[in-house]
């Protein structure tokens, strides 16, 4: 019987799942809620995965898949990996799904391995959060960033949205430049006054995801020439370049020709961020070629699973 792979890309915003045969035939594509246990909690992630995996089982000729790659955000330490592995195994058990080979990894790491084909290369993701991974082509993997919105995620959609909020309050106080972000952000949030914005910021309606979506507003204002918005996006690119530089040094790739794959909504939807990154890259990383990932992270996670199968086989 032809091999079947299950690939899961779980982030802070949503969980994407695909079930496929080796020849590429899609048996199931499904979307669910967040499966980052650090932001949603272990019980919520378990419920999300059980729901999705129950549908997977219904789409299978038997109750087994040959390879399952669960690439989930929030795996930032060995403790995290143990916690998430336990959640995934329990979800499979509750759903009645049998997995011959189970891979549980950080979502960005799995996507990087799939994108680079385990050759020297870098994956930079700037979505709700930000993180960079590099592979030296010899088996060593290095990471920078991904420390979450409270302490890091510089250059991410959340970081951009937060900087926009800071600029608005600075303008209100007379400590910062006048910016069209003020009115545009309030309109985006359906808020009329600065006092309501402060209430929202510390109220129950606040969420990391909603702040991250403000990055779209920042990009729109930048396209209209707002200098504060332009500077926020340029700073975001500079922060992302620091992530790239860090993993390149850690992986000793300074003199190695390689590709830096760019992925995630924040970098995907902002031509200004991409342009600034390429500008920095030409000067600081002449050995690297910055390219927008041609496929979604989920597609690279699928490839990660097939790579494992080929190498083990």
């Amino acid at each position: 019987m032809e091999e079947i792979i299950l690939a899961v890309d779980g982030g802070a915003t949503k969980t994407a799942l695909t079930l496929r045969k080796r020849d590429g035939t899609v048996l199931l594509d499904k979307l669910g809620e967040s499966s980052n246990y650090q932001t949603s909690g272990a019980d919520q992630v378990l419920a999300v995965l059980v729901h999705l995996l129950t549908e997977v089982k219904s789409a299978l000729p038997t109750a087994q898949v040959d390879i399952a790659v669960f690439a989930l955000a929030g795996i930032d330490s060995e403790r995290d990996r143990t916690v998430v592995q336990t959640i995934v195994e329990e979800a499979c058990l509750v759903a009645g799904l049998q997995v011959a080979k189970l891979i549980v990894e950080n979502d960005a790491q799995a996507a990087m391995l799939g994108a680079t084909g385990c050759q020297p290369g870098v994956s930079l993701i700037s979505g709700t959060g930000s993180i960079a991974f590099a592979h030296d082509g010899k088996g060593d993997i290095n990471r920078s960033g991904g420390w979450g919105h409270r302490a890091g995620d510089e250059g991410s959609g959340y970081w951009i949205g937060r900087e926009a909020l800071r600029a608005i309050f600075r303008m209100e106080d007379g400590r910062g430049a006048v910016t069209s972000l003020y009115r545009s952000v309030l309109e985006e949030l359906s808020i009329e006054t600065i006092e309501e914005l402060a209430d929202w910021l510390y109220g129950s309606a606040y969420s990391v995801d909603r702040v991250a979506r403000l990055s779209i507003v920042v990009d729109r204002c930048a396209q209209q020439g707002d200098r504060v918005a332009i500077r926020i996006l340029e700073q975001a690119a500079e922060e992302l370049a620091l992530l790239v530089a860090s993993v390149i040094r850690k992986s000793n790739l300074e003199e190695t020709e390689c590709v830096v794959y760019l992925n995630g909504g924040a970098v995907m939807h902002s031509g200004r961020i991409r342009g600034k990154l390429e500008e920095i890259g030409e000067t600081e990383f002449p050995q690297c070629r910055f390219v927008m990932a041609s496929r979604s992270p989920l597609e690279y996670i699928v490839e990660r699973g097939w790579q494992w199968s080929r190498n083990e086989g």
Side-chain angles (χ1 to χ4, degrees):
M1 183 179 294
E2 189 173 15
E3 281 186 301
I4 294 177
I5 186 171
L6 167 65
V8 180
D9 177 20
T13 304
K14 66 180 184 300
T15 299
L17 174 153
T18 189
L19 185 68
R20 301 184 186 183
K21 293 182 178 180
R22 168 72 80 169
D23 66 4
T25 301
V26 177
L27 301 176
L28 179 70
D29 281 334
K30 203 71 180 176
L31 287 176
E33 296 178 4
S34 165
S35 53
N36 181 338
Y37 93 98
Q38 292 186 6
T39 57
S40 299
D43 291 342
Q44 174 66 17
V45 173
L46 178 62
V48 169
L49 293 181
V50 167
H51 175 73
L52 291 172
L53 296 182
T54 299
E55 297 203 34
V56 167
K57 183 183 175 184
S58 300
L60 287 167
T62 67
Q64 178 171 314
V65 295
D66 299 284
I67 306 165
V69 183
F70 284 79
L72 306 180
I75 301 179
D76 299 322
S77 66
E78 187 56 34
R79 176 187 175 279
D80 290 334
R81 199 199 67 78
T82 300
V83 170
V84 175
Q85 178 98 17
T86 299
I87 295 171
V88 169
E89 290 176 352
E90 184 176 353
C92 290
L93 181 64
V94 173
L97 183 68
Q98 300 173 23
V99 179
K101 172 58 183 178
L102 175 64
I103 301 171
V104 178
E105 291 179 330
N106 177 282
D107 57 337
Q109 176 177 324
M112 181 272 295
L113 291 172
T116 63
C118 293
Q119 297 301 307
V122 178
S123 176
L124 172 67
I125 297 179
S126 176
T128 301
S130 62
I131 194 169
F133 275 91
H135 189 273
D136 67 356
K138 302 174 184 176
D140 287 335
I141 297 170
N142 290 287
R143 158 196 162 166
S144 285
W147 301 117
H149 69 283
R150 291 182 180 178
D153 281 344
E154 294 87 350
S156 68
Y158 175 84
W159 184 91
I160 292 168
R162 188 194 67 190
E163 291 301 300
L165 293 171
R166 291 182 62 203
I168 290 169
F169 288 115
R170 289 177 67 86
M171 173 182 163
E172 173 69 16
D173 288 342
R175 296 179 293 123
V178 174
T179 171
S180 61
L181 289 170
Y182 190 115
R183 184 51 51 193
S184 295
V185 166
L186 264 58
E187 289 177 355
E188 176 69 19
L189 296 173
S190 299
I191 288 172
E192 295 185 0
T193 68
I194 195 73
E195 290 80 10
E196 288 180 41
L197 179 61
D199 290 341
W200 174 82
L201 192 60
Y202 296 100
S204 59
Y206 169 90
S207 72
V208 170
D209 183 47
R210 289 198 72 185
V211 174
R213 288 202 297 269
L214 295 179
S215 63
I216 298 173
V217 178
V218 177
D219 192 70
R220 185 166 65 240
C221 289
Q223 291 180 36
Q224 295 168 354
D226 187 277
R227 296 185 64 82
V228 173
I230 290 171
R231 184 54 189 152
I232 289 173
L233 295 182
E234 289 179 344
Q235 288 176 330
E238 290 164 4
E239 292 288 351
L240 295 175
L242 289 174
L243 289 179
V244 173
S246 176
V247 291
I248 285 177
R249 287 195 304 270
K250 290 178 181 179
S251 301
N252 297 313
L253 294 176
E254 295 95 328
E255 305 300 326
T256 303
E257 291 187 5
C258 62
V259 176
V260 179
Y261 293 92
L262 308 178
N263 218 321
V267 68
M268 183 182 300
H269 298 307
S270 177
R272 187 173 295 274
I273 291 179
R274 293 196 306 275
K276 184 66 174 180
L277 270 173
E278 291 169 1
E279 177 187 321
I280 295 172
E282 289 177 1
T283 303
E284 299 186 18
F285 321 113
Q287 80 284 8
C288 295
R289 184 164 54 93
F290 285 67
V291 301
M292 198 66 217
S294 59
R295 295 185 286 172
S296 71
L298 185 61
E299 294 297 326
Y300 290 124
I301 292 164
V302 170
E303 183 57 31
R304 160 64 174 141
W306 290 136
Q307 286 172 11
W308 178 89
S309 178
R310 289 192 294 268
N311 292 337
E312 291 296 307

